[in-house]
Each structure stands twice: as structure tokens, then as C-alpha cells.
Amino acid sequence: MATKSPQDDFEGEDAPATPGLDVGRLGDLLGFHLRMAHVAIYRDFAETMEELALTQKQLAVMELVAGNPGASQIDLANTLGTDRATMMALVNRLAARDLIERRPSAADRRRQELHLTRAGHAMLARARELIDRHEQRFIELFSRDELDTLLAALKRIYKGSRNPAFA
């Protein structure tokens, strides 16, 4: 199978200013293209959220807490497929900014429930406005059918992975 540079797929003014390297075998690897797509989305996200100083992981945590008030750090870590130490650091950073608060569980004193603060709700509302614009920049690259197919394929990848968090 002939390989080509990812830049070969660009046209017109979207083409990179400098010639790209021959990516060789990488051009045929699914993981390489997933990574390149991730980088494009990550960079746009970071630029979009710069004014709020929120990372993708922090926003994911806030969305999960908003949708699941009282969830624990372990619940969030399991859902996002991350380790407990990483989740604790994420929650600590959000708590330090007064966006999330920990409350003792009435059912189990060892468990701490997570809730958005008033400032957290306000921040999430603003973040959602920005995220809608960020998402639209990528969604508009696809027809509705293409987007549905892409999302189904991506879900098949992570649900079929060996990571039990995604099973």
C-alpha cells in the first residue's frame, strides 16, 4: 500500500506552510491518525478554553459532577479510565479554584461526595458556550451520517479495548 503524508489530504489555504515529512508506515496506522485528530482537537480546545484556564480533563470532571451530583472521585476515575491519584489531583485543582467541593456522604462517612459550587456552575455554563463553538468547528467537517458513523466507530474502539473502564 502506498503511503502518503497526512499533508496530502490538505488542500488550498489549509495546507501547511512547510513541506511535511514522509510519514511512511505511520500513514497506514489507525493509531497515528487518531493521534493526529486528537492533537488537532486538543489544540483547538486549549485555545478555546484559554480564557477559563480549563483543561479537557477538568471540564470532563465538571460535566460528570454536574450530571451526577454526589459522585465520588473513584466513580469519576472509573468512568474516565484514569487512576485514582490523577483524579485526586484533578479534583484538588478544581477545589482550589472553588469550582468543586467535597462533602461527606451521609451513607458512608469514608466516602466523599463531589458537588459543583455556585462558581463551578457559572464556570461550567460559560465553558459549555465555548465548547459548543469548539465542537461546531469539527462537526461541520462531516455530514450527519458521516458524524454518526465516526462516533459509532470510535465507540467501538474504546468499548472493544482491553481497558475494563470502557467495557
Side-chain angles (χ1 to χ4, degrees):
M1 178 186 274
T3 59
K4 63 180 183 174
S5 166
Q7 287 80 14
D8 292 345
D9 294 327
F10 293 119
E11 296 178 8
E13 60 190 59
D14 292 334
T18 58
L21 297 175
D22 177 359
V23 297
R25 186 173 180 275
L26 292 173
D28 295 328
L29 298 178
L30 173 63
F32 175 74
H33 291 285
L34 287 172
R35 175 69 178 144
M36 296 299 288
H38 173 262
V39 168
I41 290 172
Y42 176 82
R43 286 180 179 164
D44 188 79
F45 180 93
E47 185 177 307
T48 300
M49 300 304 285
E50 187 174 23
E51 72 180 72
L52 300 182
L54 284 176
T55 66
Q56 287 175 321
K57 289 179 183 178
Q58 289 171 341
L59 182 63
V61 167
M62 291 180 69
E63 284 286 1
L64 286 173
V65 171
N68 303 277
S72 72
Q73 289 178 187
I74 294 170
D75 297 333
L76 299 178
N78 290 339
T79 299
L80 295 175
T82 189
D83 61 87
R84 292 177 184 185
T86 299
M87 185 54 60
M88 184 174 74
L90 280 166
V91 170
N92 285 346
R93 282 193 290 279
L94 292 169
R97 293 178 63 186
D98 191 37
L99 300 174
I100 286 183
E101 65 182 357
R102 294 176 173 100
R103 297 180 196 160
S105 168
D108 182 350
R109 300 302 252 168
R110 297 168 296 174
R111 177 184 167 101
Q112 291 194 337
E113 298 178 345
L114 301 175
H115 298 270
L116 289 182
T117 62
R118 181 170 288 145
H121 282 286
M123 176 72 80
L124 185 57
R126 177 67 180 129
R128 285 174 173 168
E129 293 171 5
L130 295 173
I131 286 299
D132 287 347
R133 284 188 248 147
H134 159 75
E135 283 284 304
Q136 192 57 41
R137 286 191 286 274
F138 293 96
I139 289 171
E140 67 189 16
L141 298 173
F142 303 95
S143 70
R144 184 72 240 172
D145 287 344
E146 288 173 328
L147 186 60
D148 290 344
T149 300
L150 176 61
L151 292 175
L154 292 171
K155 289 175 186 176
R156 192 175 331 144
I157 289 171
Y158 66 80
K159 289 186 178 204
S161 77
R162 293 187 177 139
N163 186 333
F166 302 125

